Amino acid sequence: MRAKDENKAIVIREKAMEMIVSQGFDGLSMHKLAKAAGISVSTIYIYFKNREDLLNQLYAEATGIFVQTMLDGFSADMTFEQGLWQQWRNRYHHILRHPLHHRFWEQFRNSPLIEKQNDPCEQRFKQTMRDFVANAEEKKEIVKLPPEIFWAIAYGTFYTLVKFHLDNSTMAGLPFTLSDELLKLTFDRVMQALRL
């Protein structure tokens, strides 16, 4: 059995994410991936059992990085305004540092073709966020809303601006760059919508 080389594993993972983001899941085959990574197909199987194993490992890795970043400086016991602003800043800086991981993660999470994992890391993060919102409702810092409506108000505008930034284009096709000032301006408007 050949020894594993972590640098090759990194190249395989990065090339796989690039292919998925640009061509979708159907665009990823082990043969195309091997060619893009400049290795043999058999080398991929040293690191991954099959295509599904590769996808699941990619998702677990991207999720782990995301969750670690989201929980940095964050607590479910924070005031709602402090906590939500920390989430926005964490998400914004994470996406700027890892745009490929972000696009891959979003595509994976929203694909009906991929069997969803029950990732403990992701479940812990979701529970922390549920506790955070429940605490804010109990302290009467925010209005109680159905989860989907809450998420749309609390994060929908954020992700729309991030998409404009990553694409460097608005819906009208104009160039767009998201700044800390624009992010804070938007956040303040969102807080107005969520307060009692």
Side-chain angles (χ1 to χ4, degrees):
M1 180 145 174
R2 287 163 49 187
K4 291 185 177 183
D5 175 349
E6 186 53 32
N7 290 330
K8 279 189 184 171
I10 290 169
V11 169
I12 293 168
R13 289 193 296 264
E14 291 295 313
K15 288 295 178 189
M17 279 195 272
E18 286 174 18
M19 290 176 72
I20 290 165
V21 167
S22 66
Q23 302 169 35
F25 291 103
D26 290 340
L28 178 69
S29 74
M30 295 306 213
H31 288 283
K32 287 164 79 175
L33 176 57
K35 185 175 180 183
I39 57 173
S40 69
V41 174
S42 60
T43 300
I44 296 174
Y45 290 106
I46 294 171
Y47 304 94
F48 306 100
K49 289 183 249 173
N50 51 41
R51 184 176 179 268
E52 184 177 275
D53 180 46
L54 168 62
L55 291 172
N56 286 328
Q57 285 193 42
L58 287 173
Y59 183 73
E61 179 185 338
T63 298
I65 293 167
F66 173 80
V67 168
Q68 181 180 356
T69 305
M70 292 314 100
L71 295 178
D72 184 34
F74 177 80
S75 163
D77 298 323
M78 296 173 97
T79 68
F80 184 77
E81 186 168 356
Q82 289 173 328
L84 187 62
W85 179 238
Q86 187 67 42
Q87 281 296 304
W88 275 43
R89 284 193 355 233
N90 285 353
R91 289 167 196 252
Y92 179 54
H93 294 295
H94 171 75
I95 293 166
L96 293 183
R97 279 193 302 270
H98 305 284
L100 181 63
H101 288 152
H102 167 70
R103 289 187 188 263
F104 165 77
W105 197 67
E106 285 293 304
Q107 195 164 346
F108 192 104
R109 283 185 42 224
N110 295 314
S111 173
L113 306 174
I114 302 298
E115 186 178 327
K116 302 301 185 267
Q117 303 177 50
N118 189 12
D119 186 280
C121 185
E122 187 175 12
Q123 294 310 314
R124 179 172 57 97
F125 171 69
K126 286 180 178 179
Q127 186 59 55
T128 301
M129 295 308 296
R130 282 191 290 269
D131 293 345
F132 170 63
V133 173
N135 289 341
E137 289 172 351
E138 188 177 311
K139 292 185 276 187
K140 303 207 181 306
E141 294 179 296
I142 58 171
V143 64
K144 186 171 176 59
L145 296 166
E148 299 78 11
I149 305 302
F150 168 81
W151 193 95
I153 295 171
Y155 295 103
T157 52
F158 169 83
Y159 281 108
T160 299
L161 291 176
V162 165
K163 183 177 182 338
F164 291 162
H165 178 82
L166 292 177
D167 294 345
N168 189 28
S169 179
T170 64
M171 290 181 299
L174 301 171
F176 180 81
T177 301
L178 183 56
S179 65
D180 289 337
E181 294 77 23
L182 284 176
L183 191 68
K184 186 65 168 80
L185 172 67
T186 307
F187 175 80
D188 291 341
R189 292 294 182 172
V190 166
M191 281 304 304
Q192 287 178 14
L194 289 169
R195 284 192 183 103
L196 284 172

